[in-house]
């Protein structure tokens, strides 16, 4: 079917980088301002994966108004974007709230359009899903925008198991007589 999963990312094939956040690529997926991590602690704050061993933690800054440097980007979605689903949490022992945005770009990342905003307010992973149904060739990215309070190590947005589908088939009707 045209709406089957087109891309899936669980970060299991990525090498871990637990001492710094930076820019990384794997199979045309790109992470900027993130760490590929497993369950453990960072600055004494517990983090956990949703499944298996790896997840991506997006930056540790207290306030960022746009996700210019802190995001996960899909490969080019040449058939467009149907639905994007992902699992999100904040640090396992944090008491603060994290914010994120879903954006798309049809011009190679020069300009980004906000498609949805949300909150990662739970220490347990919650599945987030947005149906976009855009038929343009585009990139999609999940970005961290800001946080309220917290200490070093507690302000990460943890993302795991991203699933992207194509938009549904377009059906055109015409009256030919």
């Amino acid at each position: 079917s045209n709406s089957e999963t087109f891309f899936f990312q669980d970060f299991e094939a990525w090498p871990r980088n637990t001492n710094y956040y930076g820019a990384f690529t794997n199979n045309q997926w790109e992470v900027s301002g993130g760490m590929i991590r497993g369950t453990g602690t960072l600055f004494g704050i517990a983090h956990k994966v949703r499944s298996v061993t790896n997840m991506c933690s997006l930056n540790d800054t207290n306030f960022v108004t746009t996700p210019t440097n802190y995001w996960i980007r899909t490969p080019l979605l040449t058939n467009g974007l149907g639905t994007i689903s992902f699992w999100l949490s904040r640090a396992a022992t944090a008491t603060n709230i994290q914010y994120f945005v879903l954006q798309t770009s049809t011009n190679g990342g020069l300009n980004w359009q906000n498609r949805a905003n949300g909150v990662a307010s739970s220490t347990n992973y919650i599945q987030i899903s947005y149906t976009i149904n855009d038929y343009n060739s585009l990139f999609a990215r999940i970005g961290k925008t800001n946080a309220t309070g917290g200490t070093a190590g507690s302000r990460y947005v943890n993302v795991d198991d991203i699933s992207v589908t194509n938009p549904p088939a377009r059906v055109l009707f015409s009256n030919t007589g």
Side-chain angles (χ1 to χ4, degrees), residues 58 67 70-73 84-86 88 100-103 140-144 159 162:
L58 292 177
Y70 312 106
W71 43 262
I72 301 165
R73 196 205 69 206
I84 184 167
S85 298
F86 50 94
L88 200 74
F100 69 92
V101 63
L102 173 66
Q103 298 178 314
R141 74 178 180 183
I142 302 161
K144 179 176 180 209
V159 183
I162 304 168

Side-chain angles (χ1 to χ4, degrees), residues 29-48:
W29 285 81
E30 189 171 344
V31 170
S32 178
M35 285 187 193
I36 307 303
R37 311 185 56 240
T39 297
T41 60
L42 183 65
F43 301 111
I45 303 295
H47 292 263
K48 58 187 174 184

Side-chain angles (χ1 to χ4, degrees), residues 8-164:
F8 180 76
Q9 182 57 256
D10 62 6
F11 303 100
E12 296 307 314
W14 295 57
R16 286 191 184 171
N17 63 307
T18 57
N19 296 323
Y20 62 95
Y21 58 90
F24 310 97
T25 59
N26 189 301
N27 290 324
Q28 300 179 25
W29 285 81
E30 189 171 344
V31 170
S32 178
M35 285 187 193
I36 307 303
R37 311 185 56 240
T39 297
T41 60
L42 183 65
F43 301 111
I45 303 295
H47 292 263
K48 58 187 174 184
V49 298
R50 190 187 93 73
S51 61
V52 196
T53 58
N54 286 349
M55 51 88 169
C56 180
S57 291
L58 292 177
N59 91 334
D60 185 30
T61 188
N62 195 38
F63 182 75
V64 180
T65 56
T66 60
T68 304
N69 298 314
Y70 312 106
W71 43 262
I72 301 165
R73 196 205 69 206
T74 66
L76 181 63
L77 305 173
T78 56
N79 292 326
L81 172 61
T83 299
I84 184 167
S85 298
F86 50 94
W87 292 81
L88 200 74
S89 76
R90 60 182 166 83
T93 56
T95 57
N96 57 339
I97 296 174
Q98 309 297 321
Y99 298 89
F100 69 92
V101 63
L102 173 66
Q103 298 178 314
T104 59
S105 174
T106 57
N107 62 4
L110 295 175
N111 302 99
W112 291 92
Q113 176 184 0
N114 289 354
R115 295 300 192 113
N117 293 290
V119 177
S121 59
S122 176
T123 59
N124 295 314
Y125 278 89
I126 297 171
Q127 187 175 29
I128 310 290
S129 185
Y130 296 107
T131 299
I132 305 299
N133 289 339
D134 188 324
Y135 294 90
N136 293 301
S137 180
L138 55 79
F139 289 102
R141 74 178 180 183
I142 302 161
K144 179 176 180 209
T145 52
N146 59 27
T148 58
T151 59
S154 72
R155 296 183 292 255
Y156 281 90
V157 169
N158 300 318
V159 183
D160 208 352
D161 298 341
I162 304 168
S163 176
V164 178

